[in-house]
């Protein structure tokens, strides 16, 4: 999967549930750089946690250990587009 994962691109992000950005949907993801910014507790970590969990299997406890933060559990989907087809991670 390492060759396949290097060609996949995130094309859409949906954050569901509670938190600072309930029901966030981002349909236009740049293949180069995307920046999520805002004040403390605005949901930036929830977006990062969702992507880390769905793409790399990082758990909430891994996140807390690394950053020493209390972050709410993020739920949602990440759509990946690639030459082999499109995939939705939930």
């Amino acid at each position: 999967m390492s060759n396949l994962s290097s060609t996949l691109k995130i094309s859409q992000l949906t954050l569901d549930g509670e938190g600072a950005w309930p029901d966030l949907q981002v349909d236009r993801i740049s293949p180069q750089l995307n920046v999520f910014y805002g004040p403390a507790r605005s949901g930036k970590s929830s977006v990062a946690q969702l992507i880390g969990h769905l793409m790399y299997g990082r758990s909430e406890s891994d996140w807390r250990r690394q950053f020493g933060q209390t972050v709410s559990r993020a739920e949602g989907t990440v759509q990946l587009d690639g030459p082999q087809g499109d995939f939705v991670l939930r």
Side-chain angles (χ1 to χ4, degrees):
M1 178 98 177
S2 61
N3 290 338
L4 178 62
S5 65
S6 65
T7 60
L8 293 173
K9 293 178 178 46
I10 297 175
S11 62
Q12 187 179 69
L13 168 75
T14 303
L15 187 63
D16 298 326
E18 301 175 17
W21 285 339
D23 304 321
L24 170 72
Q25 183 166 341
V26 182
D27 294 324
R28 296 180 53 178
I29 304 278
S30 169
Q32 284 84 30
L33 176 68
N34 296 276
V35 177
F36 290 85
Y37 66 94
R41 308 207 47 87
S42 64
K44 302 177 303 291
S45 294
S46 295
V47 171
Q49 179 195 21
L50 174 67
I51 293 170
H53 173 69
L54 292 177
M55 294 196 62
Y56 304 107
R58 295 199 55 184
S59 69
E60 184 177 352
S61 60
D62 291 338
W63 185 266
R64 288 176 195 241
R65 270 195 303 274
Q66 182 174 351
F67 294 102
Q69 295 178 341
T70 301
V71 292
S72 61
R73 182 177 192 138
E75 295 182 11
T77 62
V78 171
Q79 181 172 326
L80 303 171
D81 296 345
Q84 302 283 328
D86 300 341
F87 302 91
V88 176
L89 305 177
R90 299 179 199 278

